[in-house]
Amino acid sequence: DTGVSQNPRHKITKRGQNVTFRCDPISEHNRLYWYRQTLGQGPEFLTYFQNEAQLEKSRLLSDRFSAERPKGSFSTLEIQRTEQGDSAMYLCASSRPLGYSGNTIYFGEGSWLTVV
Amino acid sequence: GEDVEQSLFLSVREGDSSVINCTYTDSSSTYLYWYKQEPGAGLQLLTYIFSNMDMKQDQRLTVLLNKKDKHLSLRIADTQTGDSAIYFCAGSISSGSARQLTFGSGTQLTVLP
Protein backbone atom coordinates (compact mmCIF):
# COMPACT_ATOMS: atom_id res chain seq x y z
CA ASP A 1 0.00 0.00 0.00
CA THR A 2 1.30 3.43 -0.88
CA GLY A 3 -0.96 5.10 1.66
CA VAL A 4 -3.55 7.83 1.33
CA SER A 5 -2.09 10.80 -0.49
CA GLN A 6 -3.31 14.37 -0.11
CA ASN A 7 -2.32 17.61 -1.77
CA PRO A 8 -1.57 20.33 -1.35
CA ARG A 9 -0.27 19.78 2.15
CA HIS A 10 -0.57 23.45 2.98
CA LYS A 11 -2.67 26.23 1.51
CA ILE A 12 -2.91 29.86 2.54
CA THR A 13 -5.72 31.77 0.91
CA LYS A 14 -7.46 35.08 1.25
CA ARG A 15 -10.98 35.17 2.59
CA GLY A 16 -13.49 34.85 -0.20
CA GLN A 17 -11.29 32.77 -2.47
CA ASN A 18 -12.04 29.20 -3.51
CA VAL A 19 -9.74 26.31 -2.66
CA THR A 20 -9.64 22.68 -3.77
CA PHE A 21 -7.97 19.73 -2.09
CA ARG A 22 -7.28 16.39 -3.69
CA CYS A 23 -7.16 12.95 -2.13
CA ASP A 24 -5.85 9.74 -3.66
CA PRO A 25 -6.96 6.78 -1.55
CA ILE A 26 -5.21 3.45 -1.15
CA SER A 27 -5.82 1.43 -4.28
CA GLU A 28 -8.63 -1.16 -3.95
CA HIS A 29 -10.21 0.89 -1.16
CA ASN A 30 -13.69 1.70 -2.41
CA ARG A 31 -14.68 3.84 0.57
CA LEU A 32 -13.39 7.37 0.97
CA TYR A 33 -14.00 9.82 3.79
CA TRP A 34 -13.32 13.48 4.44
CA TYR A 35 -12.81 14.78 7.96
CA ARG A 36 -11.97 18.21 9.34
CA GLN A 37 -9.75 18.84 12.35
CA THR A 38 -9.34 22.15 14.15
CA LEU A 39 -6.61 22.90 16.66
CA GLY A 40 -6.99 21.03 19.92
CA GLN A 41 -9.85 18.88 18.68
CA GLY A 42 -10.32 15.45 17.23
CA PRO A 43 -11.28 15.05 13.59
CA GLU A 44 -14.96 15.51 12.67
CA PHE A 45 -16.68 13.62 9.91
CA LEU A 46 -17.65 15.61 6.83
CA THR A 47 -18.66 13.19 4.10
CA TYR A 48 -18.31 9.65 2.79
CA PHE A 49 -18.16 8.02 -0.64
CA GLN A 50 -18.65 4.44 -1.63
CA ASN A 51 -17.11 4.20 -5.08
CA GLU A 52 -18.36 7.33 -6.88
CA ALA A 53 -21.54 7.71 -4.84
CA GLN A 54 -21.60 10.27 -2.04
CA LEU A 55 -23.65 8.41 0.55
CA GLU A 56 -23.46 10.56 3.64
CA LYS A 57 -22.88 14.22 4.43
CA SER A 58 -22.47 15.79 7.85
CA ARG A 59 -24.37 18.91 8.81
CA LEU A 60 -20.88 20.48 9.05
CA LEU A 61 -20.72 20.38 5.26
CA SER A 62 -22.31 23.71 4.42
CA ASP A 63 -23.39 24.58 0.89
CA ARG A 64 -20.02 26.26 0.32
CA PHE A 65 -18.41 22.82 0.49
CA SER A 66 -18.61 20.31 -2.30
CA ALA A 67 -16.92 16.94 -2.60
CA GLU A 68 -16.70 14.74 -5.65
CA ARG A 69 -15.28 11.37 -6.57
CA PRO A 70 -16.04 11.23 -10.27
CA LYS A 71 -14.54 7.88 -11.21
CA GLY A 72 -14.56 6.22 -7.85
CA SER A 73 -10.82 6.73 -7.40
CA PHE A 74 -9.46 10.13 -6.32
CA SER A 75 -11.66 12.72 -4.65
CA THR A 76 -11.70 16.50 -4.47
CA LEU A 77 -13.02 18.76 -1.74
CA GLU A 78 -13.75 22.32 -2.82
CA ILE A 79 -14.51 25.17 -0.48
CA GLN A 80 -16.06 28.22 -2.09
CA ARG A 81 -15.93 31.75 -0.69
CA THR A 82 -13.64 30.71 2.13
CA GLU A 83 -14.13 32.16 5.60
CA GLN A 84 -11.67 32.38 8.46
CA GLY A 85 -13.63 29.72 10.28
CA ASP A 86 -12.71 27.28 7.52
CA SER A 87 -9.09 27.30 8.71
CA ALA A 88 -8.41 23.71 9.71
CA MET A 89 -6.72 20.54 8.60
CA TYR A 90 -8.74 18.55 6.10
CA LEU A 91 -8.09 14.85 6.39
CA CYS A 92 -8.92 12.22 3.84
CA ALA A 93 -9.24 8.55 4.72
CA SER A 94 -10.06 5.35 2.92
CA SER A 95 -11.10 1.81 3.75
CA ARG A 96 -11.91 -1.52 2.15
CA PRO A 97 -15.46 -2.73 1.49
CA LEU A 98 -17.55 -3.92 4.43
CA GLY A 99 -16.72 -7.37 5.68
CA TYR A 100 -12.98 -6.96 5.72
CA SER A 101 -11.36 -7.38 9.07
CA GLY A 102 -11.89 -4.37 11.30
CA ASN A 103 -12.96 -2.16 8.43
CA THR A 104 -9.86 -0.20 9.38
CA ILE A 105 -9.81 3.35 8.15
CA TYR A 106 -6.47 4.76 7.03
CA PHE A 107 -5.82 8.48 7.04
CA GLY A 108 -3.65 10.67 4.88
CA GLU A 109 -1.27 13.34 6.15
CA GLY A 110 -3.91 16.04 5.81
CA SER A 111 -4.15 19.37 4.02
CA TRP A 112 -3.75 22.45 6.17
CA LEU A 113 -5.88 25.42 5.20
CA THR A 114 -5.23 28.90 6.55
CA VAL A 115 -7.68 31.62 5.55
CA VAL A 116 -6.33 35.14 6.08
CA GLY B 1 -24.97 10.65 18.66
CA GLU B 2 -21.81 9.17 20.03
CA ASP B 3 -19.70 11.11 22.53
CA VAL B 4 -16.12 10.12 23.20
CA GLU B 5 -14.15 11.62 26.07
CA GLN B 6 -10.48 11.47 26.97
CA SER B 7 -8.25 13.12 29.52
CA LEU B 8 -6.23 15.89 27.90
CA PHE B 9 -2.70 15.33 29.17
CA LEU B 10 -0.46 12.54 30.41
CA SER B 11 3.23 12.66 31.34
CA VAL B 12 5.36 9.61 32.00
CA ARG B 13 9.03 8.81 32.40
CA GLU B 14 10.84 6.99 29.65
CA GLY B 15 10.68 3.25 30.29
CA ASP B 16 7.50 3.42 32.35
CA SER B 17 4.10 2.25 31.15
CA SER B 18 1.53 4.75 29.90
CA VAL B 19 -2.20 4.22 30.23
CA ILE B 20 -4.51 6.42 28.20
CA ASN B 21 -8.19 6.23 29.04
CA CYS B 22 -11.32 6.86 27.01
CA THR B 23 -15.06 6.66 27.67
CA TYR B 24 -17.78 6.47 25.07
CA THR B 25 -21.54 6.67 25.16
CA ASP B 26 -22.83 4.57 22.27
CA SER B 27 -23.01 0.95 23.38
CA SER B 28 -23.67 -0.08 19.79
CA SER B 29 -20.18 0.99 18.70
CA THR B 30 -18.89 -1.97 16.79
CA TYR B 31 -15.21 -1.11 16.59
CA LEU B 32 -13.10 1.09 18.81
CA TYR B 33 -9.85 2.50 17.51
CA TRP B 34 -6.69 4.14 18.74
CA TYR B 35 -4.87 6.60 16.49
CA LYS B 36 -1.60 8.46 17.04
CA GLN B 37 -0.95 11.94 15.70
CA GLU B 38 2.44 13.62 15.69
CA PRO B 39 2.71 17.41 15.29
CA GLY B 40 1.56 18.61 11.89
CA ALA B 41 0.90 15.09 10.66
CA GLY B 42 -2.10 12.93 9.85
CA LEU B 43 -3.44 10.09 11.95
CA GLN B 44 -1.62 6.81 12.25
CA LEU B 45 -3.76 3.79 13.06
CA LEU B 46 -2.26 2.02 16.08
CA THR B 47 -4.77 -0.68 16.84
CA TYR B 48 -8.47 -1.42 17.09
CA ILE B 49 -10.70 -3.73 19.08
CA PHE B 50 -13.97 -5.33 18.10
CA SER B 51 -16.79 -4.86 20.58
CA ASN B 52 -17.02 -8.58 21.44
CA MET B 53 -13.42 -8.60 22.73
CA ASP B 54 -12.17 -7.63 26.18
CA MET B 55 -8.50 -7.31 25.42
CA LYS B 56 -6.15 -7.10 22.49
CA GLN B 57 -2.37 -7.09 22.63
CA ASP B 58 -0.08 -5.96 19.84
CA GLN B 59 3.61 -5.79 20.75
CA ARG B 60 3.96 -2.92 23.27
CA LEU B 61 0.29 -1.98 23.00
CA THR B 62 -2.53 -3.46 25.07
CA VAL B 63 -6.13 -2.41 24.61
CA LEU B 64 -8.68 -3.14 27.32
CA LEU B 65 -12.40 -2.78 26.75
CA ASN B 66 -14.98 -2.68 29.53
CA LYS B 67 -18.31 -2.71 27.72
CA LYS B 68 -20.35 -2.44 30.91
CA ASP B 69 -18.69 0.85 31.84
CA LYS B 70 -18.12 1.89 28.19
CA HIS B 71 -14.45 2.36 29.02
CA LEU B 72 -11.50 1.79 26.72
CA SER B 73 -7.84 2.05 27.60
CA LEU B 74 -4.55 1.91 25.74
CA ARG B 75 -1.47 0.77 27.62
CA ILE B 76 1.94 1.42 26.11
CA ALA B 77 4.67 -0.67 27.72
CA ASP B 78 8.24 0.63 28.00
CA THR B 79 7.25 4.09 26.76
CA GLN B 80 9.88 5.81 24.62
CA THR B 81 10.42 9.47 23.72
CA GLY B 82 9.23 8.63 20.22
CA ASP B 83 5.83 7.80 21.69
CA SER B 84 5.27 11.47 22.54
CA ALA B 85 2.24 12.48 20.48
CA ILE B 86 -1.50 12.99 20.70
CA TYR B 87 -3.52 9.81 21.01
CA PHE B 88 -7.11 9.67 19.82
CA CYS B 89 -9.73 7.18 20.78
CA ALA B 90 -12.51 6.74 18.21
CA GLY B 91 -15.70 4.73 18.01
CA SER B 92 -17.42 3.61 14.87
CA ILE B 93 -21.07 4.36 14.35
CA SER B 94 -22.87 1.87 12.19
CA SER B 95 -25.06 4.06 10.10
CA GLY B 96 -26.41 2.18 7.16
CA SER B 97 -23.35 1.15 5.23
CA ALA B 98 -21.12 3.91 6.58
CA ARG B 99 -18.48 3.46 9.22
CA GLN B 100 -17.98 7.00 10.42
CA LEU B 101 -15.63 7.53 13.30
CA THR B 102 -16.37 9.76 16.27
CA PHE B 103 -13.17 10.96 17.89
CA GLY B 104 -12.34 12.16 21.35
CA SER B 105 -10.39 15.40 21.77
CA GLY B 106 -7.14 13.51 22.15
CA THR B 107 -4.66 12.90 24.97
CA GLN B 108 -1.30 14.63 24.71
CA LEU B 109 1.31 12.13 25.89
CA THR B 110 4.64 13.60 26.95
CA VAL B 111 7.49 11.20 27.64
CA LEU B 112 10.16 12.65 29.90
CA PRO B 113 13.76 11.39 29.64
Side-chain angles (χ1 to χ4, degrees), chain A:
Chain A
D1 286 339
T2 55
V4 178
S5 175
Q6 293 188 245
N7 66 82
R9 291 293 318 282
H10 299 90
K11 179 75 176 177
I12 301 173
T13 191
K14 291 184 179 178
R15 190 174 53 187
Q17 297 294 304
N18 299 345
V19 295
T20 299
F21 299 112
R22 176 179 167 126
C23 171
D24 288 88
I26 295 170
S27 58
E28 90 261 11
H29 281 194
N30 71 333
R31 293 160 179 258
L32 186 146
Y33 311 79
W34 285 99
Y35 282 76
R36 182 177 72 182
Q37 185 180 22
T38 53
L39 280 175
Q41 298 298 316
E44 295 174 291
F45 171 77
L46 290 179
T47 190
Y48 153 69
F49 289 85
Q50 182 172 310
N51 301 311
E52 66 275 9
Q54 187 174 20
L55 296 184
E56 294 205 27
K57 289 196 287 189
S58 160
R59 64 182 184 282
L60 294 176
L61 210 69
S62 76
D63 56 8
R64 295 184 297 106
F65 287 69
S66 63
E68 294 182 346
R69 194 181 183 198
K71 296 180 182 178
S73 56
F74 72 92
S75 175
T76 57
L77 176 68
E78 181 184 20
I79 309 173
Q80 296 182 324
R81 305 182 303 282
T82 51
E83 300 173 357
Q84 287 187 319
D86 297 332
S87 296
M89 181 160 68
Y90 291 85
L91 288 158
C92 179
S94 68
S95 68
R96 292 175 180 271
L98 261 184
Y100 281 80
S101 176
N103 192 43
T104 47
I105 301 176
Y106 296 91
F107 283 81
E109 290 293 301
S111 293
W112 281 100
L113 173 64
T114 302
V115 181
V116 296

Side-chain angles (χ1 to χ4, degrees), chain B residues 58-84:
Chain B
D58 185 359
Q59 300 183 333
R60 291 190 300 124
L61 305 179
T62 303
V63 180
L64 294 178
L65 175 61
N66 181 330
K67 290 183 287 294
K68 175 176 169 291
D69 295 337
K70 300 191 187 72
H71 182 266
L72 182 74
S73 67
L74 174 70
R75 178 177 180 269
I76 306 173
D78 187 25
T79 315
Q80 303 297 305
T81 54
D83 295 324
S84 291

Side-chain angles (χ1 to χ4, degrees), chain B residues 4-37:
Chain B
V4 178
E5 292 194 1
Q6 304 177 234
S7 51
L8 292 180
F9 302 100
L10 176 66
S11 289
V12 299
R13 292 276 178 200
E14 191 174 13
D16 289 348
S17 292
S18 308
V19 179
I20 302 171
N21 295 299
C22 169
T23 57
Y24 60 97
T25 58
D26 188 346
S27 58
S28 64
S29 287
T30 312
Y31 294 97
L32 294 146
Y33 300 83
W34 285 102
Y35 284 87
K36 175 184 179 182
Q37 187 175 40

